[in-house]
Amino acid sequence: MPNKLNEQQKQAVEYNDGPLIIIAGAGTGKTTVITEKIKYLIEKKEVLPEEVLALTFTEKAAEEMEDRVSNNLNLGYANIQISTFHSFCQVILEKYGLDVGLPNSFNLLSQTDSWLLIRDNFDKFDLDYYAPMGNPTSYIHELIKHFSKCKDELVDPDKYLEYAENLKLDNDELQGETKNKFEEVAKAYHVYNQILLDNSCLDFGDLIFYTIKILKERPEILKSLQKQFKYILVDEFQDVNWAQYILVKLLSDKGSTLTVVGDDDQSIYAFRGASVSNILRFKEDYPGTKEIVLNYNYRSGQKILDLAYESIQNNNPDRLEEKLKINKKLESKTGLKSEIIQIHTESTEEEAKIVVEEIEKIKKDDSGATWDDFAILVRANSHADIFLDELSSKKIPYEFLAATGLYKQPIVIDCVNYFKTLDNYRESSAVFRLLNLPFINLDSDDLQKITYFARKKAVSYFEVLKEANQCGISIEGINKTNKILNLIDEGTRKARFEKPTVVLYNFLEKSGYLDYLTREEESGNRNVIRQIFQLREFFNYIKNFEVLKPESRVYNFLEHYKYVIESGDGGVPYKPADTSDSVNIMTMHSAKGLEYKYVFLVNLVEDRFPSRRKGGGIELPEELINEVLPSGDHHIQEERRLFYVGITRAKTKLFLTSADNYGGVRKKKISRFLDELGYKAQTNLTTEINLVRVPKGQKKESGDFVYKIPTKFSFSQINSYKRCPYQYKLAHILKLPGQGSASFSFGQTMHNTLQKFYEKVQELNAIKQGVFFSTVKKGVAEPVEKNNIKVPALEELLKTYEENWIDDWYKGKKQKNDYHKKGKEILKTFYEIQKKWTIPVALESGFKIKIGENAIGGRIDRIDKLEDGTLEIIDYKTGKSKEKLSSDDKDQLLIYQIALEELPEYQNQGIPSKLTFYYLNDSLQNSFLGKEKLKEKLKEKIENIIQKIKDQNFKATPNKIICKNCDFKDICEYRKL
């Protein structure tokens, strides 16, 4: 992108006199325009940050947009709303859901969670056609997709039932089976929604569906949101569904300045290709809409852009260019020379070999190229395997950016099999998996003897391990098998009382698994680095399961695991390690928004790309669909848009590859997308090919590894680095699961309890924080009048404590009971010694400020307004109290002081005059106020630390005090104890 905005972009940024639609072609800088527009509104138009709402589709896009806004604004901000549609609606429902009969707190279900919920309640569904006897659960996924589409179209269950009943009565032309199918699905939809509510659950479709219900049925809530959000921006507008469109329309109907950005040629998610209708409907609903087309491309050479344009023309007349008579032809502003190369081979093995050879050749010839400059784009995840094998055989580092199931990853299989041994130690396959763990390093001869003995005696592997000395294995082998027996024994005891995450962490630590991972990571083993990221995702997944089922134990999780596999899901997707120097392999869908110097579009044959049209889904009746559908073949049009997206990822060199043979009987036809462009299937002559495939995981990749550094930092991150850079790396770069502690669980419990308590104080006294995303929630309490302030009774405070008690990481029942009793005593004392209650002006208030070029974020426990109109910042501490604070001790509150002094949102409330650490254990308060010299010194210290992080200086700085209190002390090779 250029340093300065071009005329089209400048016009788009500065126009705020009414509704605006920006048609932004590939590589034309739409994210730049949105973020610059937000900056312009805040800095030039003096709009308050909380008056701006920016909505997009993915968490990644929202994060990127937020990062860019942080970098572009000269000052930080506290309450600008940049989020996905779903996240935005989730917060509305958490605040106002009770108004439409939703549970006060709810669990959000993924599609797999919904599948499990339906399966558990299958007897409540009166299914016949959609529950075949041979496989009664086979239609569950299709039903879930159908229900999701109903919610996207704002079809409520009663409306669907009414439609089905009327259809049955009025339409004699339909066959009986068809009528019954509609009625069956309509009733199932009704039952599904009731089961969700009965279990205090919502799915993703519910978030928008019920938010719209609230806004329509509670006009005062809608009015407050319309008043707050004076400027609304929507990204990827071409992909909004009907419900999202109505949400935006409701929020903007009372004069909000609305800007939408989209490109119909890059619509790859809209229902049946209904992308153009959104934009045409927008122009009808908002008369006088300003229209700006961005067609200066800052990514690709002109040859690549011309090819993409020639291809997408075949989607006419269902394109905006035709409908609105505008020019969407992209003009390159890069000055880059570009090249397009077609490669056609006889077999898929040959295709993969040539692609990898080309990558090697370009890397050698282009001295400035890195592996990260290359991307191989496939239509489906399963098409990538042969390219992964070829890259592995050449020892070329790669990253497979696929939504592959988490449960399919080797490290996760290890963890699940450990759980299986605790549930049934006679499960020999699980024990065998443990014997083969890489760090156990059991001698192959010993393993063979164990296997032979188990088969000979017809006993389980576990029983063999108990009598390992009779198998003739070595002394070293006996020691290793005893270690595995001890792990199973200890885990079995823990599994009865502890949560799965606690049991799993104990296994990883005691077995040496974590130690192995950290050692291999230090040596640059890329495979292990990926495993660390996979392990992190698995821990997060189990934690989410524990939230859904708080009393769950290992056997509950294994049952859940069994049903997930049965669902055909293969486990949740995980986010791969973000490596900075690896060849990128991904699907066309995943490539949206990315760019690479060299791009390979592979498998360009019929039935692969374009893919074969899928059938068998449960269609929503057209009478219930609000979208305007295109006249052409929507499947081929969407596939062609995917092809367009793939082409426009390339900067300088684009390879279009295909082959005759992909393993079937018949020779494949070249893709119609190539045929349309004049390319033919002419086989390229190549050298003799070695068709031996290398099994995945056989090669150990090693070398320097460059990590993605965070774009924003918090006090805890900075403090972690200050204690030990290596600790920071493990906790915040690798995000390795750490062992919890009783003090951490207790501290979180006390913080959460006081936050919820003071939220009720705010509500009882009708105090609003002035920001939509406040943390005020509805609660029920018998208020007590004290000093003209209503506060919940002590019983309500203790009830809140019980509701927020965190039960994890205590060393035994006695310690847990001691902490629990201590917490109640602390709260009773806290309540009774309050001479004068206050109503906080903010709780858990988020902020983001700039220190130098760096974004620093955080959340403030509590902000009170004092009698003189100034502010007191309060941070609760459950550790040992300090009567005298060192300079380092003050850093956390000094950051908060800087935020309150710099950010306009807080300046309107008053200036800070008091920074207080509130030590709950003994009710001691220690207060101070930072002077300019101290604040400047802190800013300089933070800048120095962040620069070291950016330089990837993670050298360990161990000492006995730090190591003693480190979560990673048991796996760190540098520790001093």
Side-chain angles (χ1 to χ4, degrees), residues 916-941:
T916 300
F917 283 118
Y918 196 125
Y919 296 98
L920 295 170
N921 277 353
D922 50 15
S923 300
L924 175 70
Q925 297 183 45
N926 197 330
S927 302
F928 68 99
L929 185 68
K931 296 181 180 179
E932 286 302 316
K933 187 175 180 181
L934 196 58
K935 289 185 288 184
E936 290 302 318
K937 186 177 179 181
L938 173 62
K939 289 181 180 180
E940 185 179 340
K941 180 165 42 175

Side-chain angles (χ1 to χ4, degrees), residues 649-711:
R649 301 310 95 195
K651 294 181 181 180
T652 62
K653 220 168 199 178
L654 173 69
F655 291 83
L656 307 170
T657 77
S658 55
D660 288 332
N661 186 349
Y662 287 88
V665 177
R666 294 184 179 180
K667 180 178 176 180
K668 288 288 187 183
K669 289 183 179 180
I670 194 169
S671 169
R672 71 188 68 189
F673 302 150
L674 290 182
D675 186 59
E676 291 166 353
L677 298 170
Y679 291 106
K680 303 299 177 187
Q682 296 179 341
T683 304
N684 299 74
L685 296 175
T686 62
T687 57
E688 185 179 349
I689 297 170
N690 179 3
L691 299 182
V692 178
R693 295 176 64 181
V694 180
K696 282 181 280 186
Q698 182 169 311
K699 298 292 181 180
K700 174 180 174 179
E701 301 171 33
S702 61
D704 293 335
F705 192 88
V706 182
Y707 292 100
K708 182 181 178 183
I709 299 300
T711 55

Side-chain angles (χ1 to χ4, degrees), residues 727-765:
Q727 180 195 83
Y728 171 85
K729 178 184 179 181
L730 295 179
H732 300 288
I733 300 295
L734 295 175
K735 297 182 181 178
L736 199 69
Q739 183 174 10
S741 65
S743 58
F744 179 79
S745 294
F746 182 69
Q748 285 292 105
T749 296
M750 299 303 289
H751 273 75
N752 294 343
T753 299
L754 289 172
Q755 178 194 337
K756 298 293 190 300
F757 175 77
Y758 272 107
E759 285 173 0
K760 293 173 184 176
V761 172
Q762 288 178 317
E763 186 171 341
L764 287 170
N765 294 276

Side-chain angles (χ1 to χ4, degrees), residues 604-877:
L604 296 177
V605 294
E606 290 291 295
D607 293 338
R608 284 207 164 205
F609 199 14
S611 65
R612 187 174 298 158
R613 190 189 310 271
K614 292 182 180 178
I618 305 172
E619 290 288 344
L620 188 64
E622 291 203 2
E623 294 86 346
L624 300 178
I625 295 172
N626 290 289
E627 272 99 349
V628 179
L629 303 179
S631 58
D633 185 328
H634 68 85
H635 172 73
I636 293 300
Q637 286 184 351
E638 177 158 330
E639 291 289 297
R640 192 177 283 110
R641 288 193 294 271
L642 264 179
F643 186 58
Y644 177 88
V645 166
I647 291 172
T648 53
R649 301 310 95 195
K651 294 181 181 180
T652 62
K653 220 168 199 178
L654 173 69
F655 291 83
L656 307 170
T657 77
S658 55
D660 288 332
N661 186 349
Y662 287 88
V665 177
R666 294 184 179 180
K667 180 178 176 180
K668 288 288 187 183
K669 289 183 179 180
I670 194 169
S671 169
R672 71 188 68 189
F673 302 150
L674 290 182
D675 186 59
E676 291 166 353
L677 298 170
Y679 291 106
K680 303 299 177 187
Q682 296 179 341
T683 304
N684 299 74
L685 296 175
T686 62
T687 57
E688 185 179 349
I689 297 170
N690 179 3
L691 299 182
V692 178
R693 295 176 64 181
V694 180
K696 282 181 280 186
Q698 182 169 311
K699 298 292 181 180
K700 174 180 174 179
E701 301 171 33
S702 61
D704 293 335
F705 192 88
V706 182
Y707 292 100
K708 182 181 178 183
I709 299 300
T711 55
K712 50 183 178 289
F713 300 86
S714 66
F715 171 77
S716 62
Q717 290 181 23
I718 291 166
N719 208 33
S720 174
Y721 187 91
K722 195 167 59 175
R723 285 194 298 268
C724 174
Y726 188 60
Q727 180 195 83
Y728 171 85
K729 178 184 179 181
L730 295 179
H732 300 288
I733 300 295
L734 295 175
K735 297 182 181 178
L736 199 69
Q739 183 174 10
S741 65
S743 58
F744 179 79
S745 294
F746 182 69
Q748 285 292 105
T749 296
M750 299 303 289
H751 273 75
N752 294 343
T753 299
L754 289 172
Q755 178 194 337
K756 298 293 190 300
F757 175 77
Y758 272 107
E759 285 173 0
K760 293 173 184 176
V761 172
Q762 288 178 317
E763 186 171 341
L764 287 170
N765 294 276
I767 296 297
K768 295 182 179 179
Q769 298 187 45
V771 176
F772 168 62
F773 285 100
S774 68
T775 53
V776 178
K777 292 179 181 172
K778 293 187 179 298
V780 178
E782 292 295 329
V784 177
E785 189 84 27
K786 294 192 176 185
N787 303 322
N788 297 320
I789 293 177
K790 293 178 182 178
V791 296
L794 174 61
E795 291 75 15
E796 183 69 19
L797 173 59
L798 296 178
K799 179 185 174 185
T800 304
Y801 172 67
E802 298 295 346
E803 291 171 346
N804 287 276
W805 173 256
I806 297 173
D807 211 29
D808 301 334
W809 300 110
Y810 292 97
K811 296 178 180 178
K813 191 173 182 180
K814 183 180 185 305
Q815 187 187 47
K816 185 190 300 185
N817 290 339
D818 288 346
Y819 265 103
H820 188 268
K821 180 181 178 182
K822 176 183 175 184
K824 292 175 72 171
E825 292 170 353
I826 287 173
L827 291 172
K828 286 178 184 177
T829 303
F830 174 86
Y831 191 90
E832 291 164 357
I833 67 170
Q834 297 298 322
K835 295 177 181 178
K836 187 171 184 180
W837 288 96
T838 58
I839 308 167
V841 296
L843 294 168
E844 282 294 306
S845 189
F847 67 87
K848 189 176 289 183
I849 58 175
K850 297 289 283 292
I851 293 182
E853 296 299 316
N854 305 299
I856 310 295
R859 304 194 76 81
I860 304 173
D861 285 353
R862 180 174 136 204
I863 304 173
D864 285 358
K865 181 169 283 191
L866 304 177
E867 291 181 349
D868 61 1
T870 60
L871 301 177
E872 179 182 13
I873 298 171
I874 298 171
D875 190 78
Y876 303 119
K877 296 292 181 186

